[in-house]
Amino acid sequence: MAQQKPVERHSGVSLWRQIADRIRVSIADGEFRETGRLPPAFDLAERFGVNRHTVRAALAFLAEEGLVESIQGHGTVIVGGRQLTLPISKRTRFSAGLGDQASSVSTRLLRSGELPASLEVATLLQIAPEQPVTEVEEVGYVDGRPVSCSQHFFPVERFPDIARHIAATGSITRAFAACGLPDYLRHSTEVSARHADARERELMQLSPGAIVLEARAINTDLEGRPVQCSRTRFSADRISLKMTA
Amino acid sequence: MAQQKPVERHSGVSLWRQIADRIRVSIADGEFRETGRLPPAFDLAERFGVNRHTVRAALAFLAEEGLVESIQGHGTVIVGGRQLTLPISKRTRFSAGLGDQASSVSTRLLRSGELPASLEVATLLQIAPEQPVTEVEEVGYVDGRPVSCSQHFFPVERFPDIARHIAATGSITRAFAACGLPDYLRHSTEVSARHADARERELMQLSPGAIVLEARAINTDLEGRPVQCSRTRFSADRISLKMTA
DNA sequence: CAAATTTGTCTATTAATCTAGACAACTACA
DNA sequence: TGTAGTTGTCTAGATTAATAGACAAATTTG
């Protein structure tokens, strides 16, 4: 197989890492769907213009991620790599949005507590700085695998028992309902992307260098008053976000 | 200064590269706006837990990018580089959305041509597969620096001269107007994140390992008929996207 | 069974990255 | 003027990344 795009040397990114990233993209694009496995390491080495051992390092990295599995004498088969899409609209709900794409969707409460609002949170919730807010951290799972981790902030004054309800019902939507708010709207969602930090990698079982999509959102009641602001990081390998007007 | 987050070793990304990436983000967040320059290399080294020479490699890389400039005896001053936010709403327009955040916003037409619609494009535009579509590729610039590259598809049947109008006016909005469509709406935007490929890095002058935000969008006329679908990749270092309902 | 294919392991060598320390060169400021 | 603070340069050594080759081990195929 001829060499496609040469790999970049002296870029600060090791060759095995560049190769792993490109193979990951190829898999996501469905390039090897016919055979279900990667070309032999020797061919990949020729294609990328590197030594076979360098390709082996890349494959070991992808195997660590759980994306491929190398079998001696057989080849390297593709194990996972399906991407889910979370719809973002005026009625964005985590579980409901992913429910029809997976057999199980759940969230796990990490911790919760009260603290005075930072300037940023106060601004977003339209309350005075230092007013108490409830902070809730949780991890989202799809089919048993973690795909997101998030921080949520609620004004204590209006929802004094929200943490208890979230713990009891396992759902923010149901917790709001229990607090007398049967419906709410997604006011805005700001999306950015960056490399995952150590904590995110731990919570979502990501490998170093993994990418997260960070969504900063504000939810309001039907009158437009903010009831929640949140910061959710999604594993970009597993989730994409779809905004619909 | 105490160490914040330790740098990651054996991740496939060299330490100087990680440090450069983090300093770039800090600059974009306005962390050093008060002084207009970076802390001394010795302090940065302590903060990241590495040797001063490693920090120097990172600063040399950022200087190469034109983001900072080191002056002997004086310090390392910040030359450019803040992050822009592109609002995504029903009336998303590239130039108008960024216009008030920068002194100059422009797009450069890379190429255009007609081709039969792929299955995906035909589905998005709600036309029959193999029907001709106009493909337009362009690069977006803010203050003279490239921040995005995009592919746009338009149905030839309805807008036969769109490519010519885009070339003449330099604007899709004005080209639509010239084709008899004074207004149109953003129907949906799907956002994902991944590492930039070689072509994206070339077009946007990104370094290896850079992250792109990819937005796949559909625009419709006021009756809801698709008039355009597009795939735009933004440099995640320079642009974030803000969805507003 | 035998040959071809493919991954796994081992050793050795070269190049790139990171650390460490010393000192020179330049700037700012009291 | 001279002293503190900062960047620039140099040497040396340790660690990591990449190349190269040979052969073992497992699977598939004829």
Side-chain angles (χ1 to χ4, degrees):
Chain A
M1 189 179 294
Q3 180 178 328
Q4 298 180 314
K5 304 171 195 167
V7 87
E8 297 179 13
R9 287 160 196 271
H10 316 145
S11 66
V13 182
S14 62
L15 302 188
W16 62 262
R17 184 54 188 274
Q18 294 182 53
I19 290 167
D21 290 342
R22 283 172 56 171
I23 292 175
R24 197 189 297 106
V25 170
S26 293
I27 290 173
D29 288 348
E31 186 172 331
F32 311 111
R33 209 173 308 169
E34 296 175 16
T35 61
R37 60 184 200 176
L38 300 180
F42 183 83
D43 292 0
L44 288 172
E46 192 179 33
R47 173 163 155 183
F48 290 116
V50 301
N51 191 275
R52 183 173 76 98
H53 294 86
T54 308
V55 168
R56 281 180 53 72
L59 296 181
F61 183 70
L62 293 174
E64 186 89 13
E65 280 185 350
L67 188 58
V68 302
E69 187 178 351
S70 289
I71 300 165
Q72 189 173 46
H74 179 73
T76 302
V77 301
I78 298 168
V79 175
R82 175 174 68 101
Q83 183 145 352
L84 302 169
T85 301
L86 177 63
I88 305 280
S89 66
K90 287 190 177 175
R91 285 204 164 58
T92 296
R93 308 287 187 265
F94 177 77
S95 302
L98 292 170
D100 52 350
Q101 300 175 62
S103 54
S104 85
V105 179
S106 63
T107 60
R108 180 166 67 88
L109 182 63
L110 274 186
R111 57 171 217 88
S112 65
E114 280 188 23
L115 73 171
S118 68
L119 188 58
E120 183 188 2
V121 168
T123 305
L124 294 173
L125 289 178
Q126 293 178 22
I127 60 178
E130 306 298 324
Q131 281 277 93
V133 292
T134 302
E135 178 185 11
V136 173
E137 271 189 60
E138 54 181 22
V139 178
Y141 294 84
V142 172
D143 292 337
R145 296 185 62 184
V147 300
S148 71
C149 59
S150 43
Q151 272 177 303
H152 305 282
F153 296 92
F154 308 88
V156 167
E157 186 181 20
R158 183 158 175 198
F159 304 103
D161 291 329
I162 191 86
R164 195 166 50 77
H165 288 301
I166 291 174
T169 64
S171 155
I172 290 175
T173 302
R174 285 196 290 272
F176 269 137
C179 291
L181 184 73
D183 195 13
Y184 58 96
L185 298 176
R186 172 65 60 104
H187 170 263
S188 66
T189 308
E190 179 164 354
V191 180
S192 58
R194 56 179 169 73
H195 288 106
D197 67 25
R199 180 165 164 76
E200 289 156 357
R201 289 205 309 272
E202 185 196 342
L203 291 175
M204 296 190 275
Q205 297 171 17
L206 302 176
S207 53
I211 298 175
V212 292
L213 271 167
E214 174 167 320
R216 289 168 181 262
I218 300 173
N219 285 332
T220 67
D221 62 20
L222 301 186
E223 281 78 48
R225 284 172 301 188
V227 296
Q228 171 194 9
C229 70
S230 63
R231 182 171 78 100
T232 302
R233 289 86 85 201
F234 297 95
S235 164
D237 280 344
R238 302 170 195 162
I239 295 277
S240 67
L241 306 177
K242 175 166 188 146
M243 285 86 207
T244 314
Chain B
M1 188 181 297
Q3 181 179 325
Q4 299 179 315
K5 300 175 198 168
V7 88
E8 297 172 17
R9 289 162 194 270
H10 317 148
S11 68
V13 182
S14 63
L15 301 188
W16 61 263
R17 183 54 189 273
Q18 293 181 53
I19 290 167
D21 290 342
R22 283 171 57 171
I23 291 176
R24 197 188 299 106
V25 170
S26 293
I27 291 173
D29 289 348
E31 184 170 333
F32 311 110
R33 210 174 307 167
E34 296 175 17
T35 61
R37 61 181 198 178
L38 300 181
F42 183 83
D43 291 359
L44 287 173
E46 192 181 32
R47 171 163 156 181
F48 291 116
V50 301
N51 192 274
R52 183 173 76 98
H53 294 87
T54 307
V55 168
R56 282 180 53 72
L59 296 181
F61 183 70
L62 293 174
E64 185 89 14
E65 281 185 349
L67 188 59
V68 303
E69 188 179 349
S70 289
I71 301 164
Q72 189 173 37
H74 180 71
T76 302
V77 301
I78 297 168
V79 178
R82 87 205 128 84
Q83 177 142 351
L84 304 168
T85 301
L86 177 62
I88 304 281
S89 66
K90 287 191 176 174
R91 283 204 165 59
T92 297
R93 309 287 188 265
F94 178 77
S95 301
L98 292 170
D100 52 349
Q101 300 177 62
S103 54
S104 86
V105 179
S106 64
T107 60
R108 180 167 66 90
L109 182 64
L110 274 186
R111 56 169 217 89
S112 64
E114 282 187 23
L115 73 169
S118 68
L119 185 59
E120 183 189 0
V121 168
T123 305
L124 294 173
L125 289 178
Q126 293 177 22
I127 61 178
E130 307 298 323
Q131 280 277 93
V133 292
T134 301
E135 178 185 10
V136 173
E137 271 189 59
E138 55 180 23
V139 178
Y141 295 84
V142 173
D143 292 337
R145 297 186 62 184
V147 301
S148 71
C149 62
S150 42
Q151 273 177 303
H152 304 282
F153 296 93
F154 308 88
V156 168
E157 187 181 19
R158 182 157 177 199
F159 305 103
D161 291 329
I162 191 88
R164 194 167 50 75
H165 287 301
I166 290 175
T169 64
S171 154
I172 290 174
T173 302
R174 287 195 289 272
F176 269 137
C179 290
L181 183 73
D183 194 13
Y184 58 95
L185 299 176
R186 173 65 59 103
H187 171 262
S188 66
T189 308
E190 178 166 353
V191 180
S192 57
R194 57 179 168 75
H195 287 103
D197 66 26
R199 179 164 164 76
E200 289 156 358
R201 290 205 305 271
E202 185 195 342
L203 290 175
M204 294 191 276
Q205 297 170 19
L206 302 177
S207 45
I211 298 175
V212 292
L213 270 169
E214 175 168 317
R216 290 167 181 262
I218 300 173
N219 284 332
T220 67
D221 61 20
L222 301 186
E223 281 78 48
R225 283 172 303 189
V227 296
Q228 172 193 8
C229 69
S230 64
R231 183 170 77 101
T232 302
R233 287 86 83 202
F234 298 94
S235 164
D237 278 344
R238 301 169 194 163
I239 295 276
S240 65
L241 306 177
K242 178 170 186 142
M243 287 84 207
T244 314

